[in-house]
């Protein structure tokens, strides 16, 4: 039985259905909420809001979201469990770290060769999230997340990326890496993962779709990774029309098996503080879960991408990514 862990437990890979490969339910700092959130954070309202948005997404035909919210983005699984209990959408959650430069101090003094000599504690923590579940919830992480944002990764970032790679080798869990299109940092991620012996078919280069450089994108795809065409609606990084053109060009060259789709959207992100509900729709009107269903898929079809290629990106590639040892 080929399954993937979700917030509600294991789901058959064949039941994932149309999948958005990079969406957050919330991006929310616990410290921010606890110290400055009294004006804008209403737990019950936000849970109901997320349930409504996910149910509306399900009605558009999307059955699964893959949520790479880890430490650094405010992962809090009990809240996600409440939501998962009220929506048919499968939510797949992650373990790892979301930082661009600085290793959290909580890992700075523990580990091989450090003040407190011990095996790499990140590998210990990430592996437990995958094998036993997250923070006593019983919810298991199904994939790993890290970031390579800058063109020269700091020693802390390199340590995190290698810890993620080693956890992948121990557990078989696939990896999603946040990268920068302008810095073309997907190349750095591929280099480090190669050095660590990672199966590149189990690596998704997040935010590859911020780039329209076909040489860069085909170089990555030819290395065997999946390209995350995953920020539809974030027009500030790359407008939808450009993203569509790039996907169509890659699909016409036979790269549909190398691409997945998403928005990197959320129901609430505290980067906007109390201005979230008023300013986000104004500043980024298409940055929501339904932009792909409503606008992008018709645009892809009009640009010459076939329905079969869309199915490859939304159905087959996610299953292959989560299949253990190619068992799907
Ligand atoms: Zn994201």
């Amino acid at each position: 039985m080929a399954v993937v862990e979700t917030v509600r437990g294991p789901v058959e890979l064949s039941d994932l259905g149309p999948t958005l490969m990079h969406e957050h339910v919330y991006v929310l700092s616990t410290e921010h909420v606890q110290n400055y959130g009294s004006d804008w954070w209403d737990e019950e309202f936000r849970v109901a809001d997320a349930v409504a948005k996910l149910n509306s997404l399900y009605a558009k035909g999307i059955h699964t979201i893959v949520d790479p919210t880890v430490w650094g983005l405010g992962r809090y699984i009990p809240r996600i469990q409440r939501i998962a209990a009220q929506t048919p959408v499968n939510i797949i959650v992650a373990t790892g770290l979301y930082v661009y430069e600085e290793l959290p101090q909580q890992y700075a003094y523990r580990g091989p060769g450090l003040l407190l000599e011990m095996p790499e504690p990140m590998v210990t923590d990430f592996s437990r999230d995958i094998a036993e579940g997250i923070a006593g919830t019983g919810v298991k992480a199904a994939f790993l997340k890290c970031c390579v944002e800058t063109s020269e990764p700091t020693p802390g970032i390199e340590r995190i990326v290698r810890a993620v790679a080693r956890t992948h080798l121990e557990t078989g869990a696939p990896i999603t890496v946040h990268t920068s299109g302008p810095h073309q940092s997907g190349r750095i991620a591929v280099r480090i993962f190669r050095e660590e012996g990672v199966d590149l078919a189990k690596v998704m280069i997040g935010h590859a779709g911020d780039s329209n450089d076909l040489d860069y994108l085909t170089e990555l795809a030819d290395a065997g990774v999946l390209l995350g065409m995953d920020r539809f609606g974030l027009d500030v990084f790359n407008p939808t029309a450009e993203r569509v053109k790039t996907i169509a060009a890659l699909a016409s060259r036979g790269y549909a098996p190398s691409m997945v789709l998403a928005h990197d959207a959320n129901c609430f992100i505290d980067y906007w503080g109390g201005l979230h509900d008023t300013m986000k729709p104004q500043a980024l009107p298409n940055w929501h879960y339904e932009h792909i269903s409503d606008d992008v898929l018709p645009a892809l079809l009009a640009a010459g991408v076939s329905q079969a290629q869309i199915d490859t990106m939304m159905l087959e590639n996610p299953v292959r990514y989560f299949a253990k040892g190619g068992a799907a």
Side-chain angles (χ1 to χ4, degrees):
M1 192 170 69
V3 298
V4 58
E5 293 292 337
T6 75
V7 174
R8 285 190 300 265
V11 167
E12 293 272 355
L13 286 170
S14 53
D15 290 339
L16 284 185
T19 298
L20 295 176
M21 282 291 277
H22 187 133
E23 308 292 347
H24 303 270
V25 179
Y26 304 110
V27 173
L28 187 65
S29 152
T30 306
E31 284 202 312
H32 193 199
V33 171
Q34 288 179 344
N35 290 284
Y36 301 106
S38 57
D39 295 341
W40 44 262
W41 181 255
D42 178 336
E43 181 85 17
E44 295 308 311
F45 176 83
R46 290 295 164 192
V47 167
D49 175 65
V51 170
K53 284 173 176 159
L54 287 164
N55 286 345
S56 171
L57 178 64
Y58 190 83
K60 299 270 176 176
I62 303 296
H63 290 185
T64 301
I65 65 165
V66 176
D67 182 346
T69 305
V70 292
W71 179 359
L73 291 164
R75 186 181 71 177
Y76 182 58
I77 295 300
R79 186 182 292 125
I80 304 301
Q81 285 179 292
R82 285 187 65 193
I83 292 159
Q86 301 174 68
T87 178
V89 175
N90 299 308
I91 304 172
I92 297 176
V93 296
T95 185
L97 269 175
Y98 182 87
V99 292
Y100 285 0
E101 299 196 49
E102 284 292 310
L103 182 78
Q105 291 298 305
Q106 289 85 353
Y107 287 125
Y109 302 100
R110 296 181 288 147
L114 298 174
L115 184 63
L116 303 174
E117 177 69 39
M118 61 174 69
E120 175 55 75
M122 285 185 271
V123 173
T124 308
D125 288 349
F126 302 160
S127 297
R128 188 176 51 221
D129 284 351
I130 292 164
E132 294 170 31
I134 300 165
T137 61
V139 173
K140 292 178 180 172
F143 68 111
L144 288 145
K145 167 78 177 282
C146 58
C147 303
V148 180
E149 165 68 21
T150 58
S151 25
E152 277 297 320
T154 63
I157 289 299
E158 189 147 345
R159 187 175 153 203
I160 294 166
V161 174
R162 291 188 191 279
V164 160
R166 286 164 200 176
T167 310
H168 156 84
L169 294 176
E170 274 187 19
T171 64
I175 300 169
T176 287
V177 51
H178 162 109
T179 63
S180 160
H183 295 146
Q184 303 201 332
S185 58
R187 283 199 182 102
I188 298 163
V190 165
R191 172 180 59 78
I192 298 175
F193 288 144
R194 256 201 195 120
E195 287 169 7
E196 293 289 337
V198 167
D199 175 2
L200 293 178
K202 296 294 170 189
V203 172
M204 172 171 140
I205 300 296
H207 317 326
D210 286 353
S211 173
N212 301 310
D213 180 339
L214 297 181
D215 291 337
Y216 170 61
L217 295 170
T218 54
E219 177 191 322
L220 291 177
D222 290 342
V225 297
L226 272 179
L227 305 175
M229 314 309 271
D230 56 9
R231 277 180 157 177
F232 273 102
L234 276 172
D235 291 355
V236 284
F237 296 127
N238 196 12
T240 290
E242 295 301 311
R243 293 178 191 271
V244 165
K245 220 186 286 176
T246 296
I247 291 175
L250 289 169
S252 75
R253 296 189 193 183
Y255 284 102
S258 301
M259 294 186 280
V260 292
L261 305 181
H263 310 89
D264 196 10
N266 53 70
C267 300
F268 185 88
I269 177 166
D270 70 347
Y271 296 3
W272 305 72
L275 299 175
H276 179 274
D277 289 350
T278 49
M279 289 310 295
K280 193 169 83 168
Q282 274 186 45
L284 296 166
N286 291 321
W287 197 37
H288 57 78
Y289 291 157
E290 298 178 29
H291 179 45
I292 287 176
S293 305
D294 290 348
D295 310 310
V296 173
L297 297 183
L300 286 172
L301 290 166
V305 177
S306 70
Q307 185 59 49
Q309 288 170 323
I310 290 172
D311 291 346
T312 296
M313 294 188 282
M314 299 193 77
L315 286 160
E316 293 164 23
N317 296 345
V319 166
R320 201 177 68 239
Y321 175 79
F322 284 111
K324 293 196 172 62

